[in-house]
Amino acid sequence: MLQAQKVSSRAAVRRLRHTATQVGRWQQQRGLATPSEPYDAVIIGGGPGGYVAAIKAAQHGLRTACIEKRGSLGGTCLNVGCIPSKAMLNNSHIYHQTKHDLKRRGIDVSDVQLNLPQMLKAKEDAVTGLTKGIEVLFKQNKVDYIKGTASFVSPTKLSVKLNDGGETEVDAKNIIIATGSEVAPFPGGSIQIDEEQIVSSTGALALQKVPEKMVVIGGGIIGLEMGSVWSRLGAQVTVVEFLGGIGGAGIDEEIAKQFQRSLSKQGLKFMLNTKVLSAEKKDGKVYIKTEAAKGGKEDTLEADVVLVAVGRRPYTEGLNLEAAGVEVDNRGRIVIDDQFNTSVKGIKCIGDVTFGPMLAHKAEEEGIAAVEYISKGHGHVNYHAIPSVVYTHPEVAWVGKTEQELKAAGVQYKVGKFPFAANSRAKTNLDTEGTVKFITEKETDRVLGVHIIGPNAGEMIAEAVLAVEYGASAEDIARTCHAHPTLSEAFKEAAMSAYDKPIHF
């Protein structure tokens, strides 16, 4: 029988009948796992790490459930992060290109107007299609989708407050925590996000009109992508960054400087080495007080909208980790070992809620590896081969080590570079801004890092990731035939430059 808290057996049966009819929920002929028949694996969280882990667990023959409270699968990434932002980035780029770039290509277009409600609808349509697609994948792979909020009762038992009302308990032999992250508040609490005038990335994706002036606090990936969107649509955007460069953790300093020059030419303004003190709403505007990062005279900026993009933090609210004995560190991250085990046997953890970069694709790899440890006893994630991409224009992408990291470590290295301005496909596309940069070990020619700024960088970086994963040399890549004319020839010639000399530059 289905165990339920604070409800009668008759009510529990009625609830089970009701929920069994919903798409993607428990199958009526199977029902819920009971204490005598626990799930082999239960994943808490339906984001990129969680839903991938659930599907892979089911594919490995494990009786699997995924508990997600949002009401739609895909987590932050699909609902209010990666996917909707890429829709806005792509469509705002098309709008901007239509207004400013088509004439030189021999295309005359007049009376180009922004239809922001339709652009926002296109974003939502993309999100809905993808999130519903995951529900279909759950059904195809026989993953039980439980819509509700999970909290630990014990290391093997979860209490679930169902979105449709009522509560139930779920037992599992193995539990994977994949609850992701949330927007980090502004340090010190002097700026409160209202998602209208002072917004997080979530609010920045849903603004109902183009602000005249926007101030972005934080020059990392999220701030630069959202700043680019609204700049293209007509806003005057100023990015305020505490550090001396943009792009966030992992970006090569040389590439970051080139990136800033490119965005500056597009109209974005930058205030680096600058500390934000506070933001006050007054008379329909927001006034942001700043000073030099090392201290100094205060300054005030005026904006219609302020985007707070100072990072994210692990999300564990309501999990009741204490009941299971799961350890967290002083930054709120769940502590794990190299096999994703928490401090409690049978409970693993992946994604943003634990160590490492907060990237959807990193969480996906961890989800598969964690399941493989459960089903096979071994798994694999190479953290040296996790790419990062900034989806602005030009795009920026990188994998592996930066020059500054290698200098600090005392590693002897070589650099090979090739500009897109010397690439035939880029020239025919009239899109020549950027460079491919290889960093190789001086003695062995092994690829240590690749950094790209330019067209299609986000797709091209996959070849670099493969090279790092397999320990390839620059010569290996340079001697591999690349189709002509393609942007990827710039990748090949940068590799040639690292170990010998390029042909076209």
Side-chain angles (χ1 to χ4, degrees):
M1 293 291 294
L2 174 68
Q3 288 192 347
Q5 296 179 337
K6 302 178 183 179
V7 293
S8 67
S9 298
R10 182 174 299 174
V13 170
R14 285 200 302 269
R15 186 175 68 247
L16 178 58
R17 287 173 178 168
H18 173 68
T19 58
T21 63
Q22 298 183 40
V23 174
R25 295 296 290 271
W26 311 297
Q27 300 301 308
Q28 189 170 8
Q29 66 271 23
R30 297 178 65 197
L32 281 173
T34 66
S36 60
E37 188 189 2
Y39 282 102
D40 296 315
V42 170
I43 291 81
I44 306 174
Y51 85 74
V52 167
I55 291 171
K56 182 54 64 177
Q59 290 174 344
H60 282 205
L62 303 179
R63 188 162 188 266
T64 304
C66 182
I67 305 171
E68 169 57 56
K69 72 176 185 178
R70 188 185 295 270
S72 62
L73 293 165
T76 295
C77 177
L78 264 71
N79 288 276
V80 292
C82 321
I83 297 303
S85 65
K86 302 312 164 284
M88 292 295 288
L89 281 158
N90 183 63
N91 291 334
S92 64
H93 175 63
I94 293 172
Y95 169 75
H96 187 269
Q97 188 176 40
T98 302
K99 288 198 72 172
H100 302 286
D101 189 50
L102 291 190
K103 188 172 183 178
R104 67 171 180 151
R105 299 173 183 272
I107 305 171
D108 291 330
V109 179
S110 60
D111 195 31
V112 178
Q113 300 292 325
L114 172 65
N115 185 339
L116 184 58
Q118 181 59 35
M119 187 176 286
L120 295 172
K121 181 180 182 299
K123 173 202 68 175
E124 292 302 322
D125 288 347
V127 169
T128 301
L130 288 167
T131 56
K132 292 297 183 183
I134 301 172
E135 290 193 25
V136 173
L137 292 172
F138 271 16
K139 289 188 68 178
Q140 290 175 344
N141 288 279
K142 297 182 172 59
V143 175
D144 287 344
Y145 172 24
I146 304 174
K147 295 182 180 180
T149 303
S151 62
F152 281 96
V153 176
S154 74
T156 59
K157 186 185 293 291
L158 296 167
S159 173
V160 183
K161 184 177 181 180
L162 300 170
N163 289 1
D164 292 338
E167 293 181 276
T168 189
E169 288 186 345
V170 177
D171 292 89
K173 299 174 185 176
N174 298 279
I175 296 174
I176 299 177
I177 301 171
T179 46
S181 61
E182 64 179 348
V183 172
F186 187 80
S190 60
I191 299 178
Q192 297 296 318
I193 294 172
D194 60 18
E195 300 297 17
E196 293 179 359
Q197 278 190 288
I198 302 176
V199 300
S200 69
S201 55
T202 300
L205 287 165
L207 296 177
Q208 298 302 302
K209 66 177 182 178
V210 179
E212 183 179 341
K213 294 181 180 180
M214 171 182 271
V215 168
V216 178
I217 304 175
I221 292 177
I222 294 173
L224 295 176
E225 289 185 346
M226 289 294 93
S228 290
V229 166
W230 294 106
S231 173
R232 294 167 184 171
L233 298 181
Q236 299 175 34
V237 175
T238 301
V239 178
V240 183
E241 171 55 49
F242 183 81
L243 299 177
I246 66 171
I251 193 170
D252 185 84
E253 288 180 356
E254 181 183 20
I255 298 295
K257 291 175 182 177
Q258 188 174 353
F259 188 22
Q260 183 181 337
R261 289 195 298 269
S262 176
L263 293 179
S264 296
K265 287 191 294 184
Q266 295 174 28
L268 278 75
K269 297 179 181 178
F270 293 92
M271 296 175 62
L272 305 183
N273 298 303
T274 302
K275 181 180 180 180
V276 174
L277 302 174
S278 64
E280 179 186 6
K281 293 190 293 184
K282 183 179 179 181
D283 299 328
K285 302 288 185 180
V286 184
Y287 296 90
I288 306 97
K289 288 186 178 180
T290 68
E291 68 176 12
K294 295 181 179 180
K297 184 180 177 181
E298 288 188 7
D299 194 9
T300 301
L301 300 174
E302 177 189 301
D304 300 288
V305 172
V306 174
L307 166 59
V308 180
V310 294
R312 300 182 65 81
R313 65 182 182 183
Y315 183 76
T316 58
E317 182 180 345
L319 279 179
N320 195 24
L321 295 175
E322 300 83 2
V326 175
E327 180 185 355
V328 299
D329 70 5
N330 59 2
R331 294 172 60 184
R333 300 175 299 186
I334 293 177
V335 177
I336 60 172
D337 64 14
D338 60 1
Q339 296 183 10
F340 310 102
N341 297 308
T342 66
S343 55
V344 179
K345 184 179 180 181
I347 302 178
K348 294 183 183 293
C349 180
I350 62 170
D352 289 7
V353 75
T354 187
F355 309 125
M358 292 184 175
L359 297 168
H361 44 279
K362 173 257 193 186
E364 291 180 6
E365 297 303 314
E366 290 182 333
I368 292 173
V371 168
E372 289 175 337
Y373 275 115
I374 292 171
S375 63
K376 297 181 178 180
H378 57 82
H380 168 76
V381 177
N382 181 355
Y383 290 99
H384 297 294
I386 303 292
S388 293
V389 182
V390 190
Y391 295 88
T392 50
H393 189 86
E395 291 184 349
V396 183
W398 65 87
V399 66
K401 299 295 185 181
T402 64
E403 271 203 81
Q404 60 263 29
E405 288 173 331
L406 294 174
K407 285 178 182 177
V411 175
Q412 297 295 308
Y413 65 90
K414 294 177 65 178
V415 173
K417 292 184 283 189
F418 190 84
F420 282 103
N423 174 263
S424 59
R425 184 69 185 276
K427 290 183 78 67
T428 58
N429 290 347
L430 300 180
D431 194 2
T432 58
E433 190 170 11
T435 305
V436 181
K437 176 179 180 178
F438 267 70
I439 307 175
T440 61
E441 191 173 40
K442 187 174 182 178
E443 183 179 353
T444 66
D445 192 42
R446 182 167 61 94
V447 177
L448 300 178
V450 177
H451 305 267
I452 308 172
I453 177 170
N456 215 41
E459 302 293 336
M460 199 180 301
I461 200 66
E463 185 175 359
V465 175
L466 194 62
V468 172
E469 177 69 37
Y470 282 97
S473 67
E475 185 176 358
D476 289 330
I477 297 165
R479 292 189 180 278
T480 300
C481 185
H482 288 62
H484 173 78
T486 61
L487 296 171
S488 68
E489 288 178 289
F491 189 88
K492 172 181 176 172
E493 295 227 39
M496 293 177 72
S497 178
Y499 91 95
D500 189 13
K501 291 183 179 180
I503 299 298
H504 294 97
F505 184 71

